[in-house]
Amino acid sequence: SIGERRVSFITAGMFTAGASVRADVTGASSREFLKEFAAIRSGDISGGEASKARSTNRMSMVEEFQGLGGIVSMGVTLVRNGMPFSSIADELAAIDRTTEAELNRLAYEAVPLQKALLVLVGDGRLIREQLAGLELPEPIEMDSLGRPVGSN
């Protein structure tokens, strides 16, 4: 398991996953991420994973209300989306009702790998060597300001 698999109903739009690994194991780590994503997309989410996801999502929502800033931020999100305050309770109830079967039915579209952006940081030469055989597009190396290496 890669860790938290969270998509908020209110702020859905981006799926992210991350890890910190040494440059010399970037290829193996990327291979594991891709393997896990393929499993998720194939509808391989177990009942235990679904239960953990429900618990994690519920706790994440509750933590969003930490302090005045969190409450105001959630209020702003609701206003921007034209949603009533009661939609928070609706979302919590929806989290509890979400089944393993529903997650597996939605998984393919929820993890759109064809639109993915893979960001790898470290020794470009060492990392490039490890990406061979992963069926990824040709990488674009960027400098610390986000410019393609070799451009002005």
Side-chain angles (χ1 to χ4, degrees):
S1 176
I2 293 178
E4 181 178 339
R5 297 177 181 170
R6 181 175 191 267
V7 177
S8 174
F9 296 100
I10 293 174
T11 58
M14 186 183 321
F15 175 87
T16 62
S20 296
V21 299
R22 295 184 327 266
D24 64 323
V25 294
T26 297
S29 298
S30 297
R31 189 171 287 105
E32 278 302 308
F33 265 96
L34 294 171
K35 180 177 149 188
E36 181 72 13
F37 293 147
I40 292 168
R41 294 181 87 208
S42 73
D44 189 34
I45 300 170
S46 71
E49 288 175 314
S51 177
K52 183 178 177 183
R54 283 190 295 273
S55 176
T56 299
N57 274 279
R58 176 174 274 288
M59 185 57 66
S60 293
M61 276 196 70
V62 170
E63 288 174 350
E64 289 180 29
F65 287 94
Q66 212 168 7
L68 180 60
I71 295 168
V72 171
S73 177
M74 180 57 78
V76 168
T77 298
L78 293 171
V79 168
R80 283 184 180 158
N81 289 285
M83 300 172 78
F85 195 73
S86 62
S87 63
I88 296 166
D90 296 340
E91 183 172 346
L92 288 169
I95 288 170
D96 290 339
R97 286 192 312 268
T98 304
T99 66
E100 171 186 349
E102 288 173 306
L103 290 175
N104 282 312
R105 184 177 50 79
L106 298 170
Y108 186 84
E109 290 182 25
V111 185
L113 289 181
Q114 67 280 8
K115 296 179 182 179
L117 171 66
L118 177 62
V119 177
L120 303 172
V121 179
D123 182 335
R125 183 189 52 76
L126 182 59
I127 291 172
R128 260 183 205 272
E129 293 170 359
Q130 297 175 59
L131 297 180
L134 292 182
E135 299 181 24
L136 296 171
E138 184 63 29
I140 300 170
E141 190 170 348
M142 311 291 263
D143 66 17
S144 62
L145 298 175
R147 298 176 302 214
V149 171
S151 68
N152 292 327

